[in-house]
Amino acid sequence: MASRQGGVVTRQQALARGYSAQEIRRLTQPAGPWVVVRRGAYCERELWDSVERYDGRALLRDRAAHLMVQPEHLMSHDSAARSHGLPFLAPLTGLSHLTRYGVGGSRTHYGVKHHLTQIGLLNTEVHAGMPVTGFARTVVDIGREHGWRSGMVAADHALMVGFAKDDLEAELAVMRCWPGVTEARAGVDKARVGAESVGETLTRPFLEEIGLFDPDLQFPVRIAERVAWIDLRIGCHLIEFDGRKKYLRPEQGGVADRPVEDIVWEERQRQLAVCRRGFGMSRLIWDEVMGSERETAQRRVLAEYQETCARYGDVLPEHLAREAAEIRERRPRVRPRPRRRVVA
């Protein structure tokens, strides 16, 4: 039963299968083999310890909340985003979210935010027995709940996995007068195909604030016998966002398959080779894009961009533009991907 329900069972289900109240108390002791996910819902400690501390455990709490709520509902907003694997900026509170039929509005009760809708529970997918709002609807709900930045992150990801802006705009049309729809619309309007990480998405508003608009995403530069794909380009200036995951081993939650010093050395050699083609470059990390070092980093990037313009001009030379167009035509970096199947 737990396997069918994403790893979670309720107290009533355990009692119905023959466990006694005394057995459940023993199993859920502090060092016991079961963990209390929320009052009246449990999972195995081995599963709890194996999942990612924030999103993985929050998803188990979402599944527990679904099992404990009696009225017909869909898990939605943050809960649906976690179930879809949809990236969004982490909120300050780890609430579970559900949508059910009723008069409009919302309320929060025991760690669950209830959203009420009068249009019915439409466009449903089912994940591990848990009904969730459809992918496009979830993207727009994230923008309504958390603002345009988080909505843009979610919308960028939707475009990357094969959805079109028309899919998102169709959801916005239904929500014409709903709370937060202006923020959600702004996030969808700013979304672009080509961002491959949350950091790359958030680099765009970082650049806009210093007057650098409409960057070219995933720009190819030929170096030796291979092609380097650059996150963003404005004129002859390139911008790379460096996430921490590529420097961490898989057991640390990263993707590094060799020593970190080798990765850093290869990046340095790659940057030198790219810049020799007639480019300047800026590199950014998370604390500079969204953290305490943002203003300092903006001044640095603007100075580096101006230096590039003084050296190479502010317009991409024709031979580099032609080369990039030929590479993109032969081996496009951004490829359409199949959409997720919607279960009605």
Side-chain angles (χ1 to χ4, degrees), residues 17-73:
R17 293 306 188 276
Y19 286 88
S20 68
Q22 184 178 1
E23 285 179 302
I24 293 174
R25 282 196 299 272
R26 177 177 56 80
L27 290 166
T28 57
Q29 288 178 350
W34 288 8
V35 170
V36 179
V37 180
R38 61 178 291 121
R39 185 177 180 182
Y42 321 111
C43 76
E44 291 183 310
R45 184 171 300 279
E46 184 178 358
L47 172 61
W48 181 262
D49 290 341
S50 70
V51 298
E52 196 274 329
R53 181 171 293 271
Y54 179 78
D55 283 337
R57 293 181 180 181
L59 181 55
L60 290 173
R61 287 191 286 269
D62 295 335
R63 290 168 176 164
H66 160 64
L67 293 172
M68 299 297 292
V69 173
Q70 295 302 315
E72 184 182 7
H73 63 276

Side-chain angles (χ1 to χ4, degrees), residues 34 39 117 123 167 177-178 192 195 233 235 254 259 263 295-296 338:
W34 288 8
R39 185 177 180 182
T117 178
N123 189 18
D167 300 316
C177 299
W178 291 19
R192 295 268 305 275
R233 177 192 63 83
I263 297 173
E295 292 185 5
T296 301

Side-chain angles (χ1 to χ4, degrees), residues 85-150:
L86 177 64
F88 64 102
L89 299 181
L92 296 177
T93 56
L95 297 175
S96 294
H97 292 249
L98 62 84
T99 295
R100 56 190 179 88
Y101 189 78
V103 179
S106 65
R107 64 182 178 86
T108 301
H109 191 61
Y110 292 120
V112 180
K113 188 167 184 177
H114 297 247
H115 304 264
L116 303 181
T117 178
Q118 299 183 57
I119 66 169
L121 305 179
L122 308 175
N123 189 18
T124 305
E125 298 185 27
V126 179
H127 300 169
M130 182 176 73
V132 301
T133 50
F135 197 94
R137 164 71 180 273
T138 302
V139 168
V140 176
D141 278 344
I142 288 296
R144 291 196 306 115
E145 185 72 10
H146 298 297
W148 68 266
R149 276 191 174 83
S150 202

Side-chain angles (χ1 to χ4, degrees), residues 59-334:
L59 181 55
L60 290 173
R61 287 191 286 269
D62 295 335
R63 290 168 176 164
H66 160 64
L67 293 172
M68 299 297 292
V69 173
Q70 295 302 315
E72 184 182 7
H73 63 276
L74 301 174
M75 301 308 290
S76 61
H77 298 74
D78 301 20
S79 297
R82 284 188 283 266
S83 190
H84 284 294
L86 177 64
F88 64 102
L89 299 181
L92 296 177
T93 56
L95 297 175
S96 294
H97 292 249
L98 62 84
T99 295
R100 56 190 179 88
Y101 189 78
V103 179
S106 65
R107 64 182 178 86
T108 301
H109 191 61
Y110 292 120
V112 180
K113 188 167 184 177
H114 297 247
H115 304 264
L116 303 181
T117 178
Q118 299 183 57
I119 66 169
L121 305 179
L122 308 175
N123 189 18
T124 305
E125 298 185 27
V126 179
H127 300 169
M130 182 176 73
V132 301
T133 50
F135 197 94
R137 164 71 180 273
T138 302
V139 168
V140 176
D141 278 344
I142 288 296
R144 291 196 306 115
E145 185 72 10
H146 298 297
W148 68 266
R149 276 191 174 83
S150 202
M152 180 177 64
V153 168
D156 267 12
H157 183 77
L159 299 182
M160 186 181 75
V161 300
F163 285 79
K165 274 203 178 183
D166 287 349
D167 300 316
L168 306 180
E169 289 167 354
E171 298 291 344
L172 286 169
V174 175
M175 304 175 182
R176 187 170 59 252
C177 299
W178 291 19
V181 70
T182 300
E183 290 285 311
R185 186 174 292 111
V188 170
D189 288 345
K190 291 175 178 292
R192 295 268 305 275
V193 176
E196 296 184 344
S197 71
V198 174
E200 291 178 29
T201 295
L202 294 175
T203 298
R204 299 204 303 273
F206 170 97
L207 295 172
E208 288 178 4
E209 290 175 12
I210 55 175
L212 303 179
F213 296 94
D214 197 26
D216 188 2
L217 308 186
Q218 300 306 324
F219 181 76
V221 180
R222 182 176 289 115
I223 51 175
E225 300 301 319
R226 64 190 184 95
V227 173
W229 292 90
I230 307 300
D231 297 338
L232 307 97
R233 177 192 63 83
I234 298 177
C236 295
H237 196 70
L238 310 176
I239 301 99
E240 286 273 79
F241 178 84
D242 294 318
R244 195 161 181 256
K245 279 189 173 183
K246 63 183 175 182
Y247 303 113
L248 299 176
R249 303 290 295 179
E251 59 269 21
Q252 299 172 308
V255 296
D257 58 358
R258 56 196 185 281
V260 66
E261 57 267 24
D262 291 346
I263 297 173
V264 173
W265 177 252
E266 289 175 12
E267 281 186 346
R268 178 59 176 161
Q269 295 300 106
R270 174 179 177 268
Q271 179 173 337
L272 289 172
V274 167
C275 289
R276 289 190 193 107
R277 297 294 315 276
F279 294 100
M281 182 179 288
S282 295
R283 306 195 77 98
L284 292 165
I285 60 174
W286 186 258
D287 282 346
E288 293 175 324
V289 171
M290 285 295 288
S292 59
E293 301 174 30
R294 183 182 179 90
E295 292 185 5
T296 301
Q298 286 179 321
R299 290 193 294 269
R300 172 178 63 81
V301 170
L302 183 58
E304 290 169 345
Y305 170 75
Q306 291 169 342
E307 182 179 345
T308 296
C309 291
R311 180 176 297 182
Y312 302 114
D314 59 359
V315 177
L316 186 68
E318 184 178 345
H319 70 282
L320 292 173
R322 185 169 56 250
E323 178 184 283
E326 291 170 355
I327 293 170
R328 282 169 161 165
E329 184 176 357
R330 289 198 308 271
R331 43 179 296 190
R333 175 77 164 187
V334 180

